[in-house]
Amino acid sequence: MGWLGPEEWAAVALSLKVAIWATLLSLPPGVAVAMALARGRFWGRGLLNVLVHLPLVMPPVVVGYLLLLTFSPVAPVGEALAAIGVVFAFRWTGAALAAAVMGFPLMVRAIRLAVEAVDPKLEQAAATLGASRLRVFATVTLPLILPGVLAGAVLAFAKSMGEFGATITFVSNIPGETRTLPSAIYAFLQQPGGDGAALRLVLVSVLVATGALVASEALARAMTRRGGS
């Protein structure tokens, strides 16, 4: 299998699967929440802002435990979802959910900054020409905030690839099912002679994180240039 062994490849592949699904599924609500926080004036806006950013300041283990309490098969929500075939606890889908929750604040913050950089007069001008709110968003707002949306997606993807505390608390560390890249590193460090495999996976994690940061900075610069023009 080349540089990485079969078990290491399995962890990398699962992490990519989890991170991609977590990013894709959280992107639409991330854009909606960012728009609401940047443009909305409604009761509870401050509370929504706190709830969105809470995973950033809470210990990841606490987030994972709350997810377990909510989506466990014996909990009301988890039981109702299990009845229709949707199970999160101790499944890779749960790892994706935990990763999405932890990456959501980073995504929302990047998109919100992009929305706030858009001149509202551009949107107002389109509205005065008869465009609906949905058309204004699709033809004016979204193209202008696209670098921020992409930057938020990249940051959420990188956070999902590196998520450990919430994931291992919610879905455990099951080989082939929930053992993501960070969980595999932890598992290898507990095994005699596993240092080499752990180091290789650490290098993969560093490369992914570095690539994400470089891409995010490039998108931020593109957004700044677009805002200046």
Side-chain angles (χ1 to χ4, degrees), residues 60-61 63-73 87-99 101 163-174 178:
V61 173
V63 176
Y65 183 61
L66 291 175
L67 289 173
L68 185 60
L69 289 178
T70 304
F71 295 101
S72 168
V87 179
F88 289 109
F90 309 109
R91 302 282 181 88
W92 76 266
T93 51
L97 176 61
V101 170
E163 174 49 39
F164 175 70
T167 302
I168 200 169
T169 305
F170 183 31
V171 298
S172 189
N173 188 4
I174 306 171
T178 64

Side-chain angles (χ1 to χ4, degrees), residues 106-128:
L106 298 176
M107 176 184 288
V108 170
R109 180 167 178 78
I111 299 174
R112 179 181 178 180
L113 290 174
V115 174
E116 291 174 343
V118 174
D119 188 351
K121 294 179 180 179
L122 298 174
E123 298 166 314
Q124 293 167 5
T128 57

Side-chain angles (χ1 to χ4, degrees), residues 170-189:
F170 183 31
V171 298
S172 189
N173 188 4
I174 306 171
E177 179 65 34
T178 64
R179 179 168 287 181
T180 57
L181 194 57
S183 301
I185 293 172
Y186 176 79
F188 281 126
L189 289 175

Side-chain angles (χ1 to χ4, degrees), residues 40-167:
R41 296 295 180 268
F42 54 90
W43 183 90
R45 179 171 173 270
L47 177 60
L48 176 62
N49 188 50
V50 169
L51 290 176
V52 167
H53 292 91
L54 205 54
L56 284 181
V57 295
M58 282 200 310
V61 173
V62 174
V63 176
Y65 183 61
L66 291 175
L67 289 173
L68 185 60
L69 289 178
T70 304
F71 295 101
S72 168
V74 297
V77 175
E79 187 178 6
L81 290 174
I84 59 174
V86 179
V87 179
F88 289 109
F90 309 109
R91 302 282 181 88
W92 76 266
T93 51
L97 176 61
V101 170
M102 295 302 296
F104 194 70
L106 298 176
M107 176 184 288
V108 170
R109 180 167 178 78
I111 299 174
R112 179 181 178 180
L113 290 174
V115 174
E116 291 174 343
V118 174
D119 188 351
K121 294 179 180 179
L122 298 174
E123 298 166 314
Q124 293 167 5
T128 57
L129 294 175
S132 65
R133 296 181 67 176
L134 182 60
R135 188 170 183 182
V136 169
F137 173 78
T139 60
V140 178
T141 310
L142 185 57
L144 291 174
I145 68 171
L146 190 57
V149 173
L150 295 176
V154 168
L155 289 175
F157 176 83
K159 177 63 175 176
S160 299
M161 285 288 291
E163 174 49 39
F164 175 70
T167 302

